[in-house]
Amino acid sequence: MFLVHLHVTATTGALPGHGDDQALQDLLWAHAAPWHQLEHITVCRTCDGFALVLFVAAPSQERAAAQAAGLIADVGNCVLLKRYRIRGAN
């Protein structure tokens, strides 16, 4: 299992909305498919958005990042994510 860390910032520069952290976590779980091999999600507020940590079962860090990117792409059409920009898969 590998850790994939992402930084989520508001596209408007505004502070995150109340409950957006839990909504983001729920949204990711709702869209996770077996091929994403998502094991755990942690969402923590930061001064300009959220730190998002995904634990992904994969044979390598690169594959885990690709699987996480696939999950983010699958969720990308959601209204909540249109208010945020996700950067930094590692």
Side-chain angles (χ1 to χ4, degrees):
M1 184 171 5
F2 291 90
L3 179 145
V4 179
H5 183 259
L6 304 165
H7 189 75
V8 181
T9 55
T11 56
T12 62
L15 293 176
H18 177 72
D20 281 359
D21 48 350
Q22 186 61 49
L24 178 57
Q25 183 171 340
D26 291 346
L27 185 67
L28 290 167
W29 275 123
H31 284 81
W35 55 85
H36 295 125
Q37 296 184 299
L38 186 62
E39 298 287 331
H40 182 75
I41 302 171
T42 299
V43 180
C44 298
R45 279 183 171 269
T46 64
C47 60
D48 62 345
F50 307 103
L52 178 62
V53 178
L54 307 176
F55 292 88
V56 180
S60 68
Q61 181 67 45
E62 293 77 21
R63 185 66 195 143
Q67 289 166 209
L71 174 58
I72 298 301
D74 289 348
V75 177
N77 291 333
C78 174
V79 174
L80 175 67
L81 284 188
K82 292 186 185 306
R83 296 190 337 232
Y84 294 100
R85 177 178 45 243
I86 299 176
R87 335 176 253 127
N90 65 351

